[in-house]
Amino acid sequence: MKKIISILTGILFSISILLAQEASPQAFSFKAVITSRLGIPIANRTVYLQISILKDNSGGLPVYIETFSPTTNEYGQVDIEIGHGTLVSGNFSTIEWSEDEYFLLIEYRLRPSN
């Protein structure tokens, strides 16, 4: 089952930093806490993440999509570098960060536990 994580402040801050840079970034750090529907952190579990960078608005077309399979820590946190995942589509290095607005769509599902 896929769930969407919204972290508005972090996304806006990350995009602001990217826009302030002169050269296009090769990747940027992203941290999230994976929780259940009840808000309880999901600790020490491998999760499947799909990261989409959408152009123009939160319902825009994806210009870049990648996946990750990190394991959460004891607090349910994962740390990834967007731009260094497993490529699904697009080219991270050709995104024109200063030309348009971009939004992150973060989707995840749990891997079956053993």
Side-chain angles (χ1 to χ4, degrees), residues 51 63-68 83-93:
I51 311 297
V63 295
Y64 181 77
I65 302 172
E66 66 183 348
T67 60
F68 295 87
H84 289 162
T86 301
L87 180 64
V88 174
S89 69
N91 185 335
F92 190 85
S93 65

Side-chain angles (χ1 to χ4, degrees), residues 25-96:
Q26 298 304 308
F28 60 93
S29 296
F30 183 81
K31 296 179 185 229
V33 175
I34 309 298
T35 63
S36 69
R37 290 183 184 202
L38 300 174
I40 300 167
I42 299 172
N44 304 312
R45 291 282 303 274
T46 300
V47 295
Y48 171 84
L49 296 172
Q50 180 170 298
I51 311 297
S52 301
I53 298 177
L54 309 175
K55 186 175 180 178
D56 294 327
N57 60 60
S58 61
L61 294 175
V63 295
Y64 181 77
I65 302 172
E66 66 183 348
T67 60
F68 295 87
S69 295
T71 299
T72 61
N73 67 13
E74 62 187 298
Y75 306 107
Q77 180 177 313
V78 293
D79 301 327
I80 61 172
E81 285 195 4
I82 296 174
H84 289 162
T86 301
L87 180 64
V88 174
S89 69
N91 185 335
F92 190 85
S93 65
T94 62
I95 297 172
E96 295 290 337

